[in-house]
Amino acid sequence: MNSPGSGVGDDPSGSEVRRRAELGAFLRLRRERITPDDVGLDPGTRRRTPGLRREEVAQLSGIGVAWYTWLEQGRRINPSVQVLGAIARTLRLDRTEREHLYRLADVPGVPVDSSARHLRTPENQIILDALTPFPASIVSARYDVVAFNEAYAALDPAIVLRPPQERNILWHLFTVDEHLQPLVAWEQETAFMVAQLRAESGRRLGDPHWTGFVQQLSAASSRFAEMWARHEVAASDTRRKSFWTVDGDLLGVTATAFAVAAAPDTRMCVHTPVDETTERRLGELVARYRELGPAEMLRRGARTGGGRQPAR
């Protein structure tokens, strides 16, 4: 935690002054809506203001009273992600309020719910299912697979067999055996995805969810570590891609990503066939998935790896 300093940076722009004023007002109003009873405190008899006192929020959050007071007053201090998280828990902020708090505090990295459970809704699943036999999924900016349809599962049964919290496309591509993942142009596509991850990570500097992920995957895959060290960046775009099915059939698709308004850090990815042969094979693949399930599809699959990859 930093106290107000002096020097050139002490004359913030008008927009920064407004942002810090908004932050102070937001914290004050959220503090006033929490009663002492809500957090197990004795309300006492001499409470002149509604809700919690500043010192009570500071105590419950494990931070200094003066520092929290400066934050509400719009003073120029730089709260850490961890401290903001503690305040958010004390004030019982929901997901939207918490994200608003981080934006007002102008932190470089906003912790994202890595499981994105709030996106596993019946409405989103209905949309994904309606796209079958086109493989479709909802994916986080970190390539966590949040939701998917049967066509996606049929195309890559190995990843959907993982527990929900372990379904990450990059981890899958860089760590599993070659015959368990379907990309044909592995080198080209993974390099592009790592460049996208690098661009997204620039908006989340200091976010432990991201730094920990990169460190763990770098340790697990020297190939990922080498690509990450290039510092290449890329933006999402519509791309032509090729996949192998578990039976060794080649599929050509166009991958298109759409932003999910309810969660800006996620996107819906849809793979549309580029020809009638691929469309027919996707339909057949879904039928087999419904009959056999992912584990049996993998067991019976004859593919030994059409596109040979470099050692990882």
Side-chain angles (χ1 to χ4, degrees), residues 135 150-157 182 243-246 251 271 282 285 297:
E150 288 181 315
Y152 181 91
L155 181 62
D156 195 357
F243 293 91
W244 296 107
T245 70
V246 292
L251 304 177
H271 297 81
L282 282 172
L285 199 64
M297 282 187 72

Side-chain angles (χ1 to χ4, degrees), residues 26-90:
F26 180 72
L27 288 173
R28 183 177 66 257
L29 291 171
R30 292 305 175 272
R31 171 172 60 83
E32 291 175 352
R33 76 178 183 181
I34 304 295
T35 68
D37 286 337
D38 291 335
V39 294
L41 295 178
D42 183 0
T45 58
R46 302 182 61 183
R47 191 171 292 269
R48 294 176 295 178
T49 58
L52 297 179
R53 300 185 178 102
R54 286 173 175 170
E55 57 266 28
E56 291 169 336
V57 174
Q59 177 185 357
L60 292 169
S61 303
I63 61 179
V65 176
W67 189 89
Y68 179 79
T69 300
W70 291 334
L71 196 61
E72 273 202 14
Q73 290 175 343
R75 304 281 288 276
R76 195 164 184 258
I77 56 178
N78 300 311
S80 69
V81 171
Q82 292 76 14
V83 167
L84 289 172
I87 294 173
R89 287 189 294 273
T90 297

Side-chain angles (χ1 to χ4, degrees), residues 121-134:
T121 65
E123 293 79 11
N124 284 334
Q125 193 62 53
I126 288 172
I127 295 171
L128 292 173
D129 292 343
L131 291 167
T132 303
F134 299 166

Side-chain angles (χ1 to χ4, degrees), residues 45-291:
T45 58
R46 302 182 61 183
R47 191 171 292 269
R48 294 176 295 178
T49 58
L52 297 179
R53 300 185 178 102
R54 286 173 175 170
E55 57 266 28
E56 291 169 336
V57 174
Q59 177 185 357
L60 292 169
S61 303
I63 61 179
V65 176
W67 189 89
Y68 179 79
T69 300
W70 291 334
L71 196 61
E72 273 202 14
Q73 290 175 343
R75 304 281 288 276
R76 195 164 184 258
I77 56 178
N78 300 311
S80 69
V81 171
Q82 292 76 14
V83 167
L84 289 172
I87 294 173
R89 287 189 294 273
T90 297
L91 299 181
R92 301 191 174 188
L93 303 185
D94 61 25
R95 181 177 61 88
T96 301
E97 292 171 327
R98 182 184 294 255
E99 292 173 357
H100 184 61
L101 170 65
Y102 288 122
R103 285 193 295 271
L104 291 178
D106 196 30
V107 294
V110 176
V112 177
D113 179 4
S114 59
S115 66
R117 287 184 294 272
H118 57 277
L119 284 176
R120 297 192 188 122
T121 65
E123 293 79 11
N124 284 334
Q125 193 62 53
I126 288 172
I127 295 171
L128 292 173
D129 292 343
L131 291 167
T132 303
F134 299 166
S137 61
I138 295 177
V139 181
S140 75
R142 204 183 64 176
Y143 286 99
D144 298 309
V145 180
V146 177
F148 53 88
N149 62 9
E150 288 181 315
Y152 181 91
L155 181 62
D156 195 357
I159 195 171
V160 302
L161 284 171
R162 303 298 303 168
Q165 67 274 16
E166 297 180 14
R167 291 175 187 153
N168 181 275
I169 296 173
L170 282 175
W171 193 273
H172 179 60
L173 292 175
F174 279 99
T175 62
V176 302
D177 292 338
E178 180 180 342
H179 72 283
L180 292 178
Q181 48 112 338
L183 268 181
V184 174
W186 187 91
E187 178 80 17
Q188 175 184 340
E189 293 302 326
T190 53
F192 177 76
M193 294 169 70
V194 171
Q196 281 191 303
L197 186 76
R198 168 69 77 172
E200 290 288 345
S201 71
R203 300 173 49 229
R204 301 165 175 84
L205 297 177
D207 182 344
H209 293 285
W210 279 68
T211 55
F213 175 80
V214 170
Q215 290 170 358
Q216 292 170 22
L217 187 50
S218 295
S221 168
S222 61
R223 195 73 187 92
F224 172 82
E226 187 275 326
M227 288 185 183
W228 183 256
R230 297 175 189 171
H231 285 261
E232 294 176 349
V233 294
S236 177
D237 65 358
T238 299
R239 295 172 62 82
R240 175 80 173 267
K241 303 172 74 170
S242 297
F243 293 91
W244 296 107
T245 70
V246 292
D247 302 311
D249 290 330
L250 186 63
L251 304 177
V253 300
T254 299
T256 308
F258 304 89
V260 179
D265 284 326
T266 62
R267 58 192 182 275
M268 180 176 291
C269 300
V270 182
H271 297 81
T272 53
V274 299
D275 53 38
E276 292 182 357
T277 299
T278 294
E279 186 169 3
R280 173 178 55 80
R281 286 176 175 173
L282 282 172
E284 295 169 350
L285 199 64
V286 171
R288 289 197 65 206
Y289 177 83
R290 289 171 176 170
E291 176 188 359

